[in-house]
Amino acid sequence: MALEEKERIIVPDENGEEHLFEVLFTFDVDQTNQSYIAVVPVEQKDDEEVEVYAFRYEENEKDDNDLSLFPIDSDEEWEMVEEMLNTLADEEENEQ
């Protein structure tokens, strides 16, 4: 069985330092016509509690590999992202 290669992205922090993240999933919300991405730092240790970061994103029209990331500001957006995370975590547990 082949191992699935995880997609990775580089996200600069507020100081301009770049960090490598592994993409957990992306999803679109039809009602708002927005896209979201959930990522985890690659350098996290396996035994650590995983810290998940989520952003709203837009793809660059000229380059599909270029994303513009935006912070999630509203409580409604956070609730929606958390609900999606919980749903996917439950599905993953049921598959095992």
Side-chain angles (χ1 to χ4, degrees), residues 2 8 24 32 39 54 66-67 85 88:
R8 293 182 171 186
L24 291 177
T32 61
V39 297
D66 189 19
L67 301 177
L85 276 170
L88 290 172

Side-chain angles (χ1 to χ4, degrees), residues 3-96:
L3 291 176
E4 184 179 324
E5 182 68 26
K6 296 280 188 178
E7 187 175 351
R8 293 182 171 186
I9 64 171
I10 295 173
V11 180
D13 64 17
E14 59 274 354
N15 299 323
E17 294 181 36
E18 295 182 340
H19 301 276
L20 187 61
F21 288 85
E22 193 168 280
V23 176
L24 291 177
F25 64 89
T26 61
F27 68 98
D28 300 321
V29 177
D30 294 334
Q31 299 93 321
T32 61
N33 209 23
Q34 303 287 340
S35 299
Y36 296 89
I37 187 169
V39 297
V40 294
V42 168
E43 64 267 5
Q44 272 189 165
K45 304 278 189 270
D46 288 338
D47 58 345
E48 290 180 13
E49 186 174 322
V50 177
E51 187 166 357
V52 178
Y53 296 85
F55 301 94
R56 183 173 51 83
Y57 76 91
E58 295 175 4
E59 290 183 2
N60 186 328
E61 292 178 17
K62 297 178 185 140
D63 183 0
D64 288 342
N65 292 323
D66 189 19
L67 301 177
S68 295
L69 300 179
F70 303 94
I72 297 174
D73 295 326
S74 75
D75 290 340
E76 294 83 16
E77 279 184 303
W78 269 118
E79 288 170 11
M80 184 177 45
V81 170
E82 286 177 340
E83 185 176 318
M84 184 62 73
L85 276 170
N86 292 334
T87 299
L88 290 172
D90 290 345
E91 287 175 4
E92 196 170 285
E93 284 179 14
N94 290 336
E95 289 177 6
Q96 294 179 3

